[in-house]
Amino acid sequence: MLTASTQNVRDVETTVELTEVATGVFELRLPIPFEDGLVNVFLFPSGAETDLLDCGMNTEESVDLIHAAVRQVGAKRIRRLVVTHIHPDHYGAAGIFAGEGLADLYLHRLEVPLVYPRYIELEHLVAEVRNYLLVNGLPPDEAEVLSNSQRALSEIVKPAVPAVQLDGAEMLELGGRRLRVEWTPGHSPGHICLYDEGDKILFAGDHVLPELSPNIGLHPQSTPDPLHEYLDGLRRVAGYQPRLILPAHGRPFTDAPTRVAALVAHHKKRMDQIEAIVSRGERTAWEVALELWGPRDNMYEKRLALQEGLAHLQALAVEGRLKKFVTPESVRWTP
Ligand SMILES: [Zn+2]
């Protein structure tokens, strides 16, 4: 059982698979229980301490793997925990590793206000999401189920109070490296990447992934025009011409400009498709999502589809390519 005295480095006889992805930087791949995937976190050891970028979910298996990895790199404690964004697979175990007497948590300040309503006091956000789903065209029974899906997530997240709230453009010392904070909103309002200017290494979080296109969604906790912000951030990090990209999901890769061009083209095509759908007549966002992706069984996918569709609709409205009409009862999109 986990007790206060054993919370820093537990004496578990696990050997974990650590990959030295750059000199002095170790990648650890952690399970994401309900998504059938892995999240990559990074250790930056320095003597008896190590710094950590992202921390996985608050599950026993994942937490044990981090404890074992800390020991394996020769450290006795975690000094700094930097979190790219507060999604459960990146931030979930923050409260296990950071806080009073533990590591110092570094988090972008736009992520901080998302934590309390999302993981601690959920009722207000659940009601707000239910209304958001209804005005965007979901049938009431589906809106009820989807708005409650947030509750499951709060169980695998143990929040921590940040010791440092980041703005972007700070220099952080992790292990022996100096990394610049790159604020890259879109996937989450305060998503950050870290960039090593000397070695041209980008710790990309979920911003640039080798295989997946990260979900960019308009929802009650997003910024008002997340797709444009995301695309701007993509072009900015590609402009640095990083030599190595270390993503939070998938394997490290090298050709940033090609990957960024593919992601930009993907969103451009999606905007064109959605513009064409709305050009045939007034739609709700839910109708657009159904026309584009078809019905989904998985409720998490349904919500992501709606949010992603809305982000593209909003970007189209901002560009003046379609019109958005709002009342307390509905949000409608017209040619
Ligand atoms: Zn994420």
Side-chain angles (χ1 to χ4, degrees):
M1 287 293 100
L2 208 67
T3 62
S5 61
T6 59
Q7 273 196 358
N8 215 339
V9 179
R10 283 209 283 162
D11 196 17
V12 277
E13 290 308 317
T14 324
T15 308
V16 296
E17 208 176 298
L18 287 173
T19 312
E20 190 168 14
V21 285
T23 308
V25 182
F26 295 86
E27 181 201 57
L28 171 66
R29 312 195 77 194
L30 296 171
I32 308 176
F34 53 80
E35 261 180 55
D36 179 35
L38 297 167
V39 61
N40 310 324
V41 305
F42 299 92
L43 292 97
F44 301 76
S46 172
E49 297 182 313
T50 184
D51 300 318
L52 181 64
L53 175 61
D54 284 345
C55 58
M57 288 189 181
N58 182 27
T59 65
E60 201 177 320
E61 185 188 5
S62 187
V63 167
D64 280 350
L65 285 168
I66 290 187
H67 283 301
V70 168
R71 228 186 19 171
Q72 208 163 304
V73 297
K76 296 212 172 337
R77 70 180 293 270
I78 301 170
R79 178 178 62 164
R80 295 175 182 146
L81 169 63
V82 182
V83 169
T84 57
H85 62 300
I86 57 111
H87 291 170
D89 46 334
H90 304 263
Y91 171 79
I96 302 288
F97 298 108
E100 276 288 314
L102 299 168
D104 287 330
L105 174 64
Y106 291 63
L107 189 61
H108 191 276
R109 62 188 175 86
L110 292 189
E111 295 296 278
V112 178
L114 310 184
V115 170
Y116 189 83
R118 199 177 282 205
Y119 301 128
I120 301 171
E121 173 43 60
L122 285 78
E123 294 315 313
H124 180 80
L125 184 63
V126 167
E128 196 179 10
V129 168
R130 186 186 302 118
N131 184 59
Y132 147 89
L133 296 169
L134 289 171
V135 299
N136 282 300
L138 258 89
D141 52 330
E142 297 215 35
E144 190 60 38
V145 176
L146 259 69
S147 61
N148 278 298
S149 65
Q150 191 64 34
R151 294 181 201 278
L153 291 182
S154 68
E155 283 162 24
I156 39 150
V157 176
K158 185 175 160 84
V161 176
V164 176
Q165 295 196 26
L166 301 165
D167 300 315
E170 292 88 351
M171 298 299 297
L172 301 183
E173 293 183 326
L174 299 188
R177 286 177 185 270
R178 291 184 159 181
L179 302 163
R180 190 181 127 102
V181 176
E182 294 293 334
W183 175 43
T184 47
H187 178 63
S188 192
H191 185 286
I192 58 164
C193 299
L194 296 181
Y195 190 54
D196 184 325
E197 293 168 316
D199 281 354
K200 289 184 153 308
I201 299 172
L202 181 71
F203 294 87
D206 282 358
H207 188 57
V208 199
L209 301 173
E211 279 148 31
L212 304 169
S213 178
N215 178 252
I216 309 300
L218 182 73
H219 57 80
Q221 285 196 323
S222 73
T223 47
D225 186 8
L227 183 59
H228 280 127
E229 290 183 325
Y230 175 67
L231 295 173
D232 287 349
L234 274 185
R235 293 187 187 103
R236 191 173 84 241
V237 298
Y240 295 159
Q241 300 188 299
R243 178 182 70 72
L244 178 65
I245 297 102
L246 299 170
H249 307 281
R251 303 318 307 132
F253 62 104
T254 53
D255 190 354
T258 300
R259 184 61 192 139
V260 165
L263 288 165
V264 171
H266 163 80
H267 288 293
K268 197 180 167 302
K269 183 177 159 212
R270 191 125 289 167
M271 281 176 76
D272 292 343
Q273 287 172 319
I274 291 177
E275 186 180 28
I277 290 172
V278 176
S279 76
R280 298 197 283 272
E282 180 185 304
R283 295 283 192 281
T284 64
W286 183 235
E287 288 166 340
V288 169
L290 285 176
E291 251 178 273
L292 200 55
W293 290 290
R296 301 284 178 116
D297 292 332
N298 179 309
M299 67 176 179
Y300 181 66
E301 283 178 16
K302 279 186 191 176
R303 200 166 139 183
L304 290 187
L306 177 70
Q307 294 175 357
E308 182 99 19
L310 273 166
H312 289 78
L313 285 162
Q314 177 68 17
L316 287 162
V318 168
E319 290 182 19
R321 291 164 63 182
L322 47 73
K323 291 189 168 55
K324 177 182 186 182
F325 287 93
V326 293
T327 68
E329 290 76 34
S330 70
V331 180
R332 294 167 301 121
W333 308 84
T334 73

